[in-house]
């Protein structure tokens, strides 16, 4: 698959405007362990679906003598569809705004996804507000359960399949795509999966503020946005700063598993991972790894393979 992939759960819609690039270029006094992650102009609420037949621009263009109608519609779009579900912007103003490696996307939530969010989010959902430290044993109800963090799970089919195949491992699945969050919760309930928790928000804040050192037994980053344009490469998740942060939260020997179908990004991943003093390649030749059996082949990946796209897996262990 490529930048033109139709996979809505994987590639965010890039707002490549002049204003965005000007804001992205603004110096930010971010700590050394902060990976490239969020433009302030990006939509803060990925959980609000657009009104049927009316886009945000169309709504804003509706004439109103006093402006009350337009303001009401704008306010409605900022309010969550699910009051007890994922928050529109869980970290809010608690943490500095940075260049994010993702862009929240508004898309429609189906009836089934919405019902799952209403019923299951209070039980299996977690907002990444950056205000507290998470006890993973308490979160999963098992102090001895090893937990893997998955960053970006799309619609959650592969996540559910991996959770079903390995019930002895907890999966903390992080994303900002509300339909995908609802879909994964519904899949977990339908398949009786007790080892899945869904986190809503910025994975960098989750790692930096909410997880204890050495808390994770593994980390998975499958098909992150490749940000193919050169001026957007700073938005890619796999950067030296991210690896430094990730290493502090992974237990010694824990596996960092990345996968991408964008060859230039795969080469960059291999370069920065190889250069990191915190990780070592599991492959004796120092190259890419074959797809391990535990990573399911998704339908979008299968479509890419049919088109001749190369999918690269990288398997690195935390040293120590």
């Amino acid at each position: 698959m490529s930048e033109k992939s139709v996979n809505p759960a994987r590639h965010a819609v890039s707002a490549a405007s002049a204003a965005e690039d000007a804001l992205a270029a603004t110096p930010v006094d971010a700590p050394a362990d902060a990976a490239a992650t969020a433009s302030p102009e990006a939509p803060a609420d990925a959980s609000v679906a657009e009104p049927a037949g009316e886009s945000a621009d169309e709504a804003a263009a509706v004439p109103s003598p006093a402006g009350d109608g337009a303001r009401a519609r704008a306010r409605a779009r900022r309010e969550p569809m699910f009051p007890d579900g994922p928050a529109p912007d869980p970290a809010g103003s608690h943490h500095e705004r940075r260049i994010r490696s993702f862009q929240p996307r508004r898309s429609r939530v189906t009836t089934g996804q919405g019902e799952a969010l209403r019923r299951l989010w209070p039980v299996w959902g977690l907002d990444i507000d950056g205000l507290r430290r998470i006890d993973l044993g308490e979160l999963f109800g098992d102090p001895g359960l090893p937990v893997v963090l998955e960053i970006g799970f799309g619609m959650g089919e592969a996540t559910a399949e991996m959770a079903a195949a390995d019930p002895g491992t907890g999966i903390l699945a992080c994303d900002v795509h509300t339909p995908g969050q609802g879909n994964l919760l519904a899949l977990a309930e339908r398949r009786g999966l007790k080892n899945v928790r869904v986190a809503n928000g910025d994975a960098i804040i989750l790692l930096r503020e909410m997880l204890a050192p050495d808390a994770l037994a593994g980390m998975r980053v499958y098909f992150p946005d490749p940000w193919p344009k050169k001026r957007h490469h700073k938005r890619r998740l796999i950067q030296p700063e991210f690896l430094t942060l990730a290493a502090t939260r992974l237990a010694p020997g824990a596996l960092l598993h990345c996968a991408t179908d964008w060859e230039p990004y795969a080469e960059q991943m291999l370069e920065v991972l190889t250069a990191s003093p915190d990780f070592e390649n599991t492959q004796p030749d120092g190259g890419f790894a074959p797809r391990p059996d535990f990573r399911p082949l998704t339908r979008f990946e299968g479509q890419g393979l049919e088109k001749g796209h190369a999918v690269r897996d990288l398997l690195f262990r935390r040293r120590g």
Side-chain angles (χ1 to χ4, degrees), residues 260-271 288 312 314:
T260 181
D261 64 344
W262 189 254
E263 190 71 23
Y265 195 10
E267 295 291 345
Q268 179 192 325
M269 288 181 178
L270 183 60
E271 180 181 349
F288 299 111
R312 303 297 190 186
L314 301 95

Side-chain angles (χ1 to χ4, degrees), residues 1-13 105 152-155 175 177 222-226 259-262 298 300-301:
M1 289 172 289
S2 69
E3 61 183 307
K4 297 183 183 297
S5 169
V6 295
N7 179 1
R10 231 194 60 206
H11 294 301
V13 178
R105 308 174 306 290
F153 57 81
M155 295 305 291
D175 210 310
H177 189 230
Y222 297 157
F223 305 99
D225 196 315
T260 181
D261 64 344
W262 189 254
T298 69
F300 296 110
E301 182 181 355

Side-chain angles (χ1 to χ4, degrees), residues 121-159:
W121 187 262
V123 182
W124 291 335
L126 167 71
D127 277 321
I128 301 173
D129 56 18
L131 297 179
R132 64 196 189 283
R133 181 65 60 85
I134 300 170
D135 183 328
L136 292 177
E138 181 180 340
L139 180 67
F140 283 86
D142 184 351
L145 187 73
V147 176
V148 170
L149 173 64
E150 183 177 359
I151 300 177
F153 57 81
M155 295 305 291
E157 293 99 336
T159 304

Side-chain angles (χ1 to χ4, degrees), residues 50 86 89-90 99 104 130 179 183 198 213 265 276 286 299 309:
E50 296 292 350
D89 187 10
I99 301 172
N183 200 59
V198 181
Y265 195 10
S276 172
R299 69 176 183 273
H309 298 164

Side-chain angles (χ1 to χ4, degrees), residues 64-251:
S64 174
D68 292 341
R71 282 195 293 270
R73 282 188 292 272
R75 185 168 57 252
R77 284 194 296 272
R78 290 194 298 270
E79 294 173 354
M81 287 180 62
F82 312 100
D84 296 324
D89 187 10
S93 59
H94 307 312
H95 297 281
E96 78 282 356
R97 292 290 186 177
R98 296 156 294 135
I99 301 172
R100 287 182 187 161
S101 60
F102 63 89
Q103 185 109 270
R105 308 174 306 290
R106 289 185 174 94
S107 57
R108 299 190 183 281
V109 177
T110 67
T111 301
Q113 293 161 0
E115 179 61 23
L117 286 167
R118 291 184 182 92
R119 290 189 301 101
L120 301 175
W121 187 262
V123 182
W124 291 335
L126 167 71
D127 277 321
I128 301 173
D129 56 18
L131 297 179
R132 64 196 189 283
R133 181 65 60 85
I134 300 170
D135 183 328
L136 292 177
E138 181 180 340
L139 180 67
F140 283 86
D142 184 351
L145 187 73
V147 176
V148 170
L149 173 64
E150 183 177 359
I151 300 177
F153 57 81
M155 295 305 291
E157 293 99 336
T159 304
E161 190 171 336
M162 289 186 289
D166 185 12
T169 297
I171 300 179
L172 179 56
C174 175
D175 210 310
V176 295
H177 189 230
T178 313
Q181 293 167 348
N183 200 59
L184 178 53
L185 288 171
L187 287 171
E189 182 182 50
R190 189 179 310 138
R191 302 184 65 169
L193 306 176
K194 306 299 184 183
N195 57 331
V196 175
R197 299 294 182 270
V198 181
N200 167 53
D202 191 338
I204 298 300
I205 294 176
L206 174 65
L207 285 166
R208 195 184 67 202
E209 308 292 345
M210 301 181 71
L211 293 178
D214 301 346
L216 297 171
M219 188 178 299
R220 298 165 181 167
V221 185
Y222 297 157
F223 305 99
D225 196 315
W227 294 102
K229 294 181 180 179
K230 186 173 182 179
R231 70 174 182 268
H232 292 153
H233 285 184
K234 58 183 173 287
R235 297 181 179 274
R236 289 176 172 175
L237 179 63
I238 305 302
Q239 307 274 5
E241 296 83 0
F242 171 77
L243 297 180
T244 299
L245 173 60
T248 66
R249 300 303 185 254
L250 287 165

Side-chain angles (χ1 to χ4, degrees), residues 13-36:
V13 178
S14 175
S17 64
E20 178 189 54
D21 289 331
L23 283 168
T26 303
V28 178
D29 294 329
D33 63 356

